[in-house]
């Protein structure tokens, strides 16, 4: 039982979720290591959503509301931490959720599929019943994507991604929104929009922002997008970390 007065209570709650997801066959061993890397950067960021991140989340909402076929790509870590919010966002925008795993096994796919089915996700892709096509120039288990999902999408939400896949998706002409606490990772550096923030804080804020912009004129949303520059966003995120050392 976790003590609520513990100064690192929230971080411990998320660690428990990660451990539980590992026990339940949702998370691969390396998913725990990836979480640890994320925690380190979160510590450096100050474990809060910065003003820069808040602005970038607004831009991400504008992308979702102006693109034709967005898809939410999910892995074990995302499922362990924010499956309910993924299901909510999928419903709000009426867009599919696609499972894509680095360590893909039929068991893990079934376990993750069960989570999203129980949450009522209407269009769940990337399961073993799906039809797949390879991502151009990408080898390995992450290469196959759903023909009707990522393959046909114009915008992909890729939280906690590995750099290889992010690079190849962008090279194949897709726009991608990533969530990565490390502003220096290849994923962060190659994305169209990088949310340098913890996925557990991003999701509720993103849902709020989509709701807020839902009825906005499309020209206003497009203007917010054209005023955004991801290099400036990443530089600000890096400077926010440096400032914490001063
Ligand atoms: P890349 O291949 O993009 O250079 P990497 O090798 O660090 O990066 P992985 O270890 O595959 O990538 O993915 C983990 C990434 O996810 C790390 O950059 C880590 O900071 C980030 N991460 C982990 N947990 C979270 C979280 N809760 N919220 C946001 N980002 C996270």
């Amino acid at each position: 039982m976790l003590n609520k007065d513990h100064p690192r209570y929230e971080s411990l709650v998320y660690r428990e979720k990660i451990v539980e997801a590992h026990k339940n066959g949702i998370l691969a061993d390396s998913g725990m290591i990836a979480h640890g890397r994320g925690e380190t950067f979160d510590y450096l960021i100050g474990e809060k959503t910065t003003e820069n991140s808040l602005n970038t989340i607004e831009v991400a909402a504008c992308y979702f509301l102006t693109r034709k076929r967005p898809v939410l790509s999910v892995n074990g870590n995302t499922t362990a931490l924010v499956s309910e919010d993924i299901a909510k966002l999928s419903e709000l925008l009426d867009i599919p959720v696609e499972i894509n795993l680095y360590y893909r096994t039929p068991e893990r796919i079934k376990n993750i599929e069960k989570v999203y089915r129980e949450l009522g996700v209407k269009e769940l892709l990337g399961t073993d019943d799906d039809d797949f096509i390879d991502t151009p120039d990408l080898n390995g288990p992450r290469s196959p994507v759903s023909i009707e999902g990522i393959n046909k999408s114009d915008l992909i939400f890729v939280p906690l991604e590995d750099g290889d896949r992010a690079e190849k998706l962008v090279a194949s002409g897709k726009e991608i929104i990533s969530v990565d606490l490390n502003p220096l990772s290849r994923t962060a550096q190659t994305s169209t929009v990088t949310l340098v923030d913890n996925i557990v804080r991003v999701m509720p804020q993103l849902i709020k922002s989509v709701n807020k912009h839902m009825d906005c004129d499309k020209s206003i949303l497009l203007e917010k997008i054209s005023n955004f520059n991801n290099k400036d966003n990443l530089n600000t995120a890096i400077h926010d970390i440096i400032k914490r050392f001063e």
Side-chain angles (χ1 to χ4, degrees):
M1 190 63 181
L2 294 174
N3 176 3
K4 282 200 170 153
D5 297 330
H6 192 289
R8 311 212 53 71
Y9 174 72
E10 278 192 18
S11 161
L12 294 178
V13 168
Y14 293 119
R15 273 192 190 179
E16 242 184 30
K17 285 192 173 199
I18 289 286
V19 171
E20 200 182 321
H22 185 256
K23 277 191 201 146
N24 293 340
I26 286 169
L27 198 70
D29 298 351
S30 70
M32 297 176 112
I33 300 168
H35 183 78
R37 175 137 54 197
E39 277 191 348
T40 311
F41 280 96
D42 207 14
Y43 208 104
L44 296 177
I45 283 165
E47 294 175 310
K48 60 174 177 23
T49 295
T50 61
E51 203 186 312
N52 180 51
S53 169
L54 212 53
N55 290 336
T56 314
I57 291 170
E58 289 226 325
V59 172
C62 295
Y63 267 90
F64 274 119
L65 292 166
T66 51
R67 280 12 187 195
K68 287 197 179 78
R69 292 176 78 105
V71 171
L72 305 174
S73 176
V74 295
N75 62 9
N77 289 64
T78 303
T79 305
L81 295 172
V82 290
S83 55
E84 288 180 18
D85 282 339
I86 289 285
K88 272 188 209 158
L89 188 62
S90 157
E91 191 184 353
L92 183 64
L93 291 162
D94 195 17
I95 59 173
V97 173
E98 179 166 336
I99 306 169
N100 181 277
L101 306 177
Y102 195 89
Y103 296 100
R104 187 182 175 104
T105 65
E107 291 72 30
R108 282 188 72 216
I109 291 289
K110 277 211 174 58
N111 295 333
I112 293 176
E113 185 179 349
K114 186 164 173 268
V115 170
Y116 291 106
R117 296 258 180 250
E118 284 178 4
L119 288 167
V121 168
K122 271 193 272 164
E123 198 179 351
L124 184 60
L125 304 170
T127 67
D128 280 345
D129 306 326
D130 212 342
D131 295 318
F132 294 92
I133 185 167
D134 277 331
T135 304
D137 300 323
L138 182 65
N139 298 320
R142 304 208 72 181
S143 180
V145 293
S146 165
I147 291 180
E148 289 305 313
I150 288 174
N151 173 54
K152 287 193 180 166
S153 68
D154 51 357
L155 175 70
I156 316 163
F157 184 63
V158 285
L160 327 187
E161 189 59 27
D162 77 284
D164 278 0
R165 182 167 174 257
E167 278 172 5
K168 300 302 184 224
L169 289 173
V170 170
S172 72
K174 312 284 186 194
E175 290 180 314
I176 67 171
I177 299 176
S178 64
V179 183
D180 195 331
L181 279 157
N182 176 5
L184 300 170
S185 77
R186 283 173 307 153
T187 303
Q189 296 285 331
T190 42
S191 299
T192 318
V193 178
T194 311
L195 303 171
V196 184
D197 201 346
N198 197 317
I199 185 80
V200 302
R201 294 189 298 268
V202 165
M203 288 307 296
Q205 197 59 47
L206 183 57
I207 290 169
K208 217 170 159 180
S209 194
V210 167
N211 272 316
K212 181 176 145 195
H213 291 89
M214 197 74 121
D215 299 321
C216 272
D217 202 276
K218 196 172 170 191
S219 63
I220 295 174
L221 304 178
L222 290 173
E223 198 185 330
K224 282 199 189 204
I225 289 175
S226 68
N227 288 335
F228 174 78
N229 179 307
N230 204 40
K231 282 277 166 270
D232 292 345
N233 162 42
L234 290 170
N235 283 339
T236 307
I238 292 166
H239 278 98
D240 282 343
I241 293 176
I242 293 171
K243 271 193 242 151
R244 304 230 328 129
F245 287 90
E246 283 166 356

